[in-house]
Amino acid sequence: MILQTARISSEEKEEETVLVVTVAVSNKTVAFLQEGIKEITRSSSLTPIPGMPESVVGLVNLRGEPEALLDFRSLVSISKEPPLQVFQILLGEMGELRAALYVDEVLDLLDVPKQDIIPPPSDLDENLKPLLVGEISYGDEKIPLFSFSHTLARLARRDS
Amino acid sequence: MPAIGESRCVNDCVMKSVSGVGGVTEEMWVLFRVGDSLFGASGAQISQIVTPDFSLLGKLDSLNFPYFLPQPGKSPIACAELSRILFPPETPKVASSTLLLLKQSPLALLVGDIVDVLGLPKDELRPLPLILRKIRLREAICGIGFREDRSFCVLDLDGDMLLSPEERQEAERLLKVSSPKGRRKSHGRKATKLS
């Protein structure tokens, strides 16, 4: 009986998963923890803001409210391609601040077992440590897994 | 004196529109392009919209004010390129075809084409998102408006953020030098080069 309980507990532990959103941006595939993402939507109206810093792509119209569209590529050394005509956004909230991340396309929403997440390398850049959760397998490749809320918060601190 | 270009008086248009809706709640907004971007400004800040013949504009030796608009019987107007004010210097030069003459000062802004003149209650403008509260030109942006599904930044053309008091003074100085009276006064000094 004791052994059986131990086995169930072990199976439960194995099944502990996190929801992950995989996205394509500038010909790279990366993943974000779904936690903190309020909405995923498609947009084609991008308004550049004069004087905007490198980490802001512009404004998008989301049901009549302008939302700041932030660019995480500036944080993680992904080369910056011009925004696509039609793109997708991941909207998040941090208290009273709302902002969205620009991505070219959302690829998948996956349930990833926690044990499948490879921890980030120990010699990771200090700036990236709070953002990078680890790596996951996606198709034939390993892709970085970022914390959405930490990434958005870092970009918001840069611009506010 | 040949005509400088076609012009339209925005304030007549504003007055007609305001009386047309039977109140003063609706304001007219002039929508114009700068490069690929759409911007707006209150019609109350613009005295005229001019599509100039560029060959008839005077040239000033100034990065901020590359042209002046001669006006028969009146003082000339210094013209600034709005794209140079709004976007970083490394931004590729964009085509300008239209002059917005400001009501409050003898200045004009060169912009792309006029897209629309839109009646919109001021309270329908949305504020800039909080997250952008510290961007460089924050104070120059009155709000965000929407036309169809596209948003545009509404600019305060009279404020000190687009053109600083120093830049306005520079325009006055350049125009003094460019006027015949000013040229006589500047005899013997290094005059601003005109071509």
Side-chain angles (χ1 to χ4, degrees):
Chain A
M1 185 67 185
I2 293 169
L3 279 175
Q4 198 178 0
T5 309
R7 197 173 67 237
I8 289 167
S9 167
S10 167
E11 280 168 4
E12 277 175 356
K13 200 174 176 183
E14 280 172 18
E15 284 172 9
E16 209 175 340
T17 59
V18 287
L19 270 176
V20 162
V21 180
T22 58
V23 303
V25 61
S26 292
N27 300 317
K28 297 268 183 195
T29 306
V30 301
F32 287 102
L33 291 177
Q34 181 265 346
E35 191 181 353
I37 299 176
K38 300 286 176 198
E39 185 175 340
I40 298 174
T41 189
R42 196 175 289 279
S43 179
S44 59
S45 72
L46 181 63
T47 304
I49 304 295
M52 62 187 185
E54 190 194 19
S55 49
V56 178
V57 188
L59 286 179
V60 284
N61 174 6
L62 205 58
R63 293 181 293 276
E65 280 299 324
E67 303 288 353
L69 191 58
L70 306 181
D71 193 343
F72 77 100
R73 292 173 293 183
S74 57
L75 289 179
V76 295
S77 305
I78 295 179
S79 66
K80 251 185 161 179
E81 304 289 333
L84 299 182
Q85 287 283 325
V86 181
F87 51 89
Q88 286 194 280
I89 67 176
L90 312 178
L91 183 72
E93 281 179 352
M94 296 149 289
E96 60 174 359
L97 293 179
R98 278 160 64 93
L101 277 193
Y102 169 89
V103 298
D104 291 343
E105 195 179 2
V106 172
L107 301 173
D108 274 314
L109 182 61
L110 304 172
D111 238 347
V112 176
K114 274 188 173 176
Q115 65 177 26
D116 289 353
I117 300 172
I118 304 159
S122 55
D123 60 348
L124 186 68
D125 184 326
E126 283 296 321
N127 282 328
L128 283 180
K129 272 185 183 168
L131 312 184
L132 191 63
V133 177
E135 277 187 335
I136 58 170
S137 295
Y138 185 68
D140 296 335
E141 57 178 340
K142 296 260 188 295
I143 61 171
L145 172 63
F146 293 99
S147 158
F148 176 79
S149 48
H150 282 107
T151 304
L152 207 60
R154 173 73 65 84
L155 287 165
R157 275 205 301 278
R158 272 186 163 194
D159 303 318
S160 60
Chain B
M1 181 84 183
I4 295 301
E6 289 176 40
S7 77
R8 285 177 280 163
C9 182
V10 178
N11 288 302
D12 281 353
C13 169
V14 172
M15 294 304 291
K16 279 176 195 160
S17 169
V18 169
S19 57
V21 295
V24 291
T25 53
E26 188 165 83
E27 199 163 326
M28 296 307 291
W29 305 93
V30 178
L31 265 59
F32 51 90
R33 260 187 265 273
V34 178
D36 294 333
S37 306
L38 193 59
F39 290 94
S42 167
Q45 295 185 329
I46 299 169
S47 63
Q48 272 183 297
I49 297 171
V50 177
T51 313
D53 177 344
F54 276 78
S55 66
L56 300 176
L57 290 182
K59 286 187 180 168
L60 293 171
D61 191 17
S62 162
L63 281 176
N64 291 325
F65 301 97
Y67 303 103
F68 68 93
L69 177 69
Q71 298 199 106
K74 290 186 194 171
S75 301
I77 292 175
C79 308
E81 281 187 283
L82 193 52
S83 62
R84 283 192 61 87
I85 300 170
L86 297 179
F87 299 116
E90 63 271 20
T91 309
K93 190 170 163 58
V94 299
S96 299
S97 58
T98 308
L99 274 171
L100 306 179
L101 274 58
L102 303 190
K103 203 177 174 190
Q104 296 293 328
S105 50
L107 295 171
L109 294 168
L110 268 166
V111 301
D113 56 329
I114 301 294
V115 175
D116 204 353
V117 177
L118 195 69
L120 192 71
K122 203 167 185 174
D123 59 11
E124 280 194 16
L125 293 184
R126 309 303 303 154
L128 203 59
L130 274 176
I131 208 164
L132 299 174
R133 66 192 161 195
K134 284 194 179 171
I135 61 170
R136 183 173 60 88
L137 290 169
R138 169 74 187 90
E139 298 298 321
I141 299 170
C142 307
I144 306 297
F146 297 101
R147 180 180 179 265
E148 294 156 6
D149 70 332
R150 206 167 164 199
S151 46
F152 56 90
C153 286
V154 177
L155 301 172
D156 174 9
L157 303 183
D158 287 339
D160 287 344
M161 279 307 290
L162 275 191
L163 288 169
S164 68
E166 293 76 23
E167 286 166 332
R168 289 171 194 270
Q169 282 169 9
E170 183 197 355
E172 281 179 30
R173 187 180 54 78
L174 288 165
L175 292 177
K176 272 183 194 163
V177 174
S178 74
S179 69
K181 199 177 165 187
R183 274 200 291 266
R184 275 198 301 277
K185 274 184 180 174
S186 67
H187 180 73
R189 294 183 207 156
K190 189 183 174 191
T192 301
K193 190 173 77 185
L194 300 170
S195 52

